[in-house]
Amino acid sequence: MSNFDIKNESLAEGGRRRIDWAAREMPVLSQIKERFLKEKPLKGLRMSACLHVTAETANLMRTLQAGGADVVLVASNPLSTQDDVAASLVLHEEIPVHAIKGEDNATYYKHIEAALAHKPQITMDDGADLVSTIHKSHRELLPDILGGTEETTTGVIRLRAMAADKMLMFPVIAVNDAM
């Protein structure tokens, strides 16, 4: 796999240990992953995620992949990126990751563009940068997008403002409001 941008591939083994440890602390997600391995409910869906690149998020990405989704992950916050986790996802799970701890603003937006080049049908956002970038400069993606999720209060505020102005062109679930 050549479509990724991470700090250092040699960090992957430490990332695998961190991801596996987190999986043991996430039993419900592990059960969903086992079910997804059998049922493949997300088969054929392209998903782009702009989230904190942590061991917990890595387990979510592995679960979505087990469900058949074609996933790409970019960092929503360069300061929280765990470089070893990013390396493990790329090397061990073959999930394209574009995230480097401490990346500058230009690199951050280059990574957002990489997530959108994936032509997502579903977005997963933590701050609404994917959704707002789609609406500002990648409107050609809109017809194929089924919906998205947003994990932060800040992102929800941005999206609600877009919806109030009749500018939000696809449904987005506010994760913290979901039952």
Side-chain angles (χ1 to χ4, degrees):
M1 182 177 59
S2 62
N3 184 20
F4 62 90
D5 187 16
I6 59 174
K7 183 175 184 174
N8 187 334
E9 294 177 38
S10 70
L11 301 172
E13 205 49 51
R16 183 194 322 238
R17 285 190 299 274
R18 189 192 299 242
I19 293 166
D20 289 343
W21 178 87
R24 290 190 296 275
E25 302 298 318
M26 304 171 80
V28 173
L29 193 60
S30 295
Q31 289 174 5
I32 293 169
K33 181 181 175 190
E34 291 305 314
R35 185 175 133 210
F36 275 16
L37 281 166
K38 295 174 192 155
E39 297 175 10
K40 302 288 185 200
L42 305 173
K43 186 174 181 169
L45 282 177
R46 290 182 312 278
M47 300 178 79
S48 290
C50 181
L51 304 170
H52 292 274
V53 179
T54 64
E56 295 80 9
T57 300
N59 280 291
L60 174 60
M61 295 299 105
R62 292 188 336 177
T63 299
L64 296 171
Q65 185 183 56
D70 178 5
V71 295
V72 169
L73 175 62
V74 301
S76 64
N77 182 338
L79 298 178
S80 67
T81 296
Q82 297 170 344
D83 288 321
D84 57 343
V85 168
S88 182
L89 284 172
V90 168
L91 271 62
H92 299 132
E93 308 297 333
E94 297 184 358
I95 293 174
V97 178
H98 302 265
I100 300 168
K101 184 174 181 110
E103 65 192 31
D104 62 24
N105 214 31
T107 303
Y108 175 81
Y109 283 102
K110 181 180 88 171
H111 291 166
I112 293 288
E113 290 296 325
L116 298 179
H118 187 57
K119 297 185 180 2
Q121 295 164 292
I122 297 175
T123 63
M124 299 179 73
D125 239 330
D126 190 348
D129 282 343
L130 287 179
V131 173
S132 61
T133 303
I134 288 167
H135 283 79
K136 286 178 188 169
S137 57
H138 289 285
R139 296 185 69 78
E140 74 280 0
L141 298 175
L142 288 169
D144 292 327
I145 296 179
L146 303 170
T149 64
E150 172 54 50
E151 295 195 15
T152 66
T153 302
T154 302
V156 169
I157 290 169
R158 289 173 74 186
L159 295 173
R160 285 191 176 140
M162 288 175 69
D165 292 341
K166 307 279 191 246
M167 300 302 293
L168 185 59
M169 305 306 293
F170 57 87
V172 180
I173 296 169
V175 172
N176 292 333
D177 294 345
M179 299 298 278

